[in-house]
Amino acid sequence: MAGTIEVLVPGGQANPGPPLGPELGPTPVDVQAVVSDINEQTAAFDGTEVPVTVEYEEDGSYTIDVGVPPTAALVKDEAGFDTGSGEPQKDFVADLSIDQVKTIAEQKKPDLLAYDTKNAAKEVVGTCASMGVTIEGVDAREFKAKVDDGEYDDVLVE
């Protein structure tokens, strides 16, 4: 009866209610202990939706694997807005600094296809473009071209 449960939970704020409780209820694990462990491991993501995988065994033992939140969630959290733009090429909802982009890229790097921080940052910038977020006051597409030209190598290259 061993199994795996995958859910999205708000960082540090999981509770025994849906979506976690109904999934864990029929299993042999102590639901409150799992919820407590998840909250402990996701506290750094404070309220941001975090993917969590719980693998459990028939004897009630379990392991928790905490993923990295989606890039869009990290961008929203870092820039401090709730929803992206309905027209991202015209209406901009926020502006990020190069340091904020680098921070997000470093958080997401294990989940991205990029080999280095510079290319991870370009993937983050792509998400910014679709959300209506500018970087350093410049449209994300223009910013990406500047990154390609090496203008921000002093910050993004290890």
Side-chain angles (χ1 to χ4, degrees), residues 21 26 134 144:
T134 57
K144 183 187 168 297

Side-chain angles (χ1 to χ4, degrees), residues 5-150:
I5 296 169
E6 295 178 357
V7 292
L8 271 177
V9 298
Q13 300 171 12
N15 62 57
L20 208 48
E23 293 284 334
L24 290 172
T27 69
V29 300
D30 176 355
V31 175
Q32 197 57 49
V34 172
V35 169
S36 177
D37 287 349
I38 289 173
N39 284 336
E40 198 174 289
Q41 292 182 34
T42 62
F45 295 112
D46 189 34
T48 303
E49 293 283 308
V50 182
V52 174
T53 303
V54 179
E55 293 182 10
Y56 61 89
E57 300 296 331
E58 290 178 29
D59 65 0
S61 64
Y62 61 89
T63 58
I64 297 170
D65 181 37
V66 177
V68 179
T71 305
L74 292 173
V75 169
K76 286 193 283 187
D77 191 44
E78 190 72 32
F81 65 94
D82 292 326
T83 57
S85 173
E87 295 185 46
Q89 282 77 23
K90 296 180 194 168
D91 299 329
F92 301 110
V93 295
D95 184 61
L96 291 176
S97 70
I98 183 64
D99 292 326
Q100 288 173 305
V101 170
K102 182 179 180 182
T103 299
I104 296 167
E106 288 170 344
Q107 287 177 316
K108 283 298 290 185
K109 200 164 142 188
D111 288 355
L112 299 175
L113 298 173
Y115 293 112
D116 57 21
T117 303
K118 180 178 179 177
N119 286 301
K122 286 169 36 178
E123 289 189 42
V124 171
V125 169
T127 300
C128 290
S130 66
M131 296 175 73
V133 175
T134 57
I135 297 99
E136 299 285 335
V138 178
D139 179 90
R141 288 164 189 78
E142 293 173 35
F143 182 82
K144 183 187 168 297
K146 289 181 178 187
V147 170
D148 286 338
D149 292 341

